[in-house]
Amino acid sequence: MMDWKDILGSKVESGELPAAENSDEILSENAPVRKADTLRVVIDRKGRKGKTATIVEGFTCDEASLKAVAAKLKTRLGTGGSARAGEILIQGERADDIREILREMGYKVK
């Protein structure tokens, strides 16, 4: 029995699906996010039953691009989160890590 990785690999080998050499390049091509805006990274505990969340505010892009940036952050940090209404919420107190990653991605961060 083949798992999904084997099936995906066979489709790429047969040419049915394009091979992705570098997922970061694909993400940057498909997610045109304005990097001129200054983003704010804040820690929040309100309304979360005492659990800490880190919120990134100030995005002015569409929802698809916002979700792409959130996915990259969540993957790099190995944590959960969400993206909506111009904000990215990351579980836990990860402000310093998020600032560093966003700067690597070319954003201005406060």
Side-chain angles (χ1 to χ4, degrees):
M1 181 173 198
M2 294 177 68
D3 68 349
W4 67 271
K5 291 179 185 176
D6 296 329
I7 294 169
L8 183 61
S10 67
K11 290 190 180 275
V12 170
E13 287 176 10
S14 70
E16 212 172 319
L17 291 173
E21 293 179 15
N22 189 342
S23 61
D24 289 340
E25 290 175 6
I26 292 170
L27 180 64
S28 65
E29 290 173 7
N30 293 337
V33 179
R34 290 180 43 188
K35 296 184 179 184
D37 301 324
T38 301
L39 304 176
R40 286 184 19 169
V41 180
V42 295
I43 304 294
D44 189 27
R45 289 180 187 85
K46 294 180 183 176
R48 294 183 173 74
K49 299 182 182 176
K51 296 186 179 185
T52 306
T54 305
I55 299 173
V56 185
E57 305 170 330
F59 287 98
T60 57
C61 58
D62 61 2
E63 288 294 314
S65 300
L66 184 67
K67 288 181 188 245
V69 173
K72 183 162 182 151
L73 283 172
K74 292 187 298 184
T75 301
R76 292 268 311 263
L77 296 170
T79 188
S82 64
R84 63 176 171 259
E87 293 183 342
I88 296 175
L89 180 140
I90 299 293
Q91 295 174 351
E93 193 167 334
R94 307 293 302 267
D96 294 335
D97 299 329
I98 291 171
R99 283 186 189 103
E100 182 180 329
I101 294 168
L102 288 172
R103 284 186 184 118
E104 287 174 11
M105 293 171 68
Y107 292 99
K108 295 178 189 173
V109 183
K110 264 189 183 179

